[in-house]
Amino acid sequence: MHLDLDDLIEPQTLQTFKPHGPHQFSSPNQEGDSVVAPVEKANVFAMIEEVTTLEDVRNLASDEDVQKW
């Protein structure tokens, strides 16, 4: 027995991505917003080496309101 389902599959649509414009970081942050900034790779590795317990993992979220997500 053979069942050919090829006719039921839609052709793949190409995804188009628009280029990003310049970022404007000068706008004031609203309370509760996350603040993102570049971090040196060495600093990230040093932070990860300090993580030894589950409590350390929870502290990585710092002031983020994870429940709000």
Side-chain angles (χ1 to χ4, degrees):
M1 213 174 184
H2 178 74
L3 180 60
D4 186 5
L5 299 176
D6 289 342
D7 292 337
L8 300 175
I9 299 174
E10 291 182 4
Q12 184 177 5
T13 57
L14 294 175
Q15 294 182 348
T16 57
F17 297 96
K18 296 180 182 177
H20 294 287
H23 297 285
Q24 300 295 325
F25 294 113
S26 60
S27 62
N29 291 334
Q30 296 176 1
E31 188 169 327
D33 284 351
S34 295
V35 178
V36 179
V39 178
E40 294 293 326
K41 188 188 297 187
N43 293 346
V44 174
F45 288 145
M47 179 185 67
I48 291 173
E49 287 178 3
E50 294 176 7
V51 177
T52 57
T53 66
L54 183 58
E55 187 63 29
D56 292 338
V57 174
R58 288 187 184 122
N59 290 336
L60 284 177
S62 157
D63 295 331
E64 293 289 338
D65 187 358
V66 178
Q67 297 300 324
K68 184 178 178 181
W69 297 353

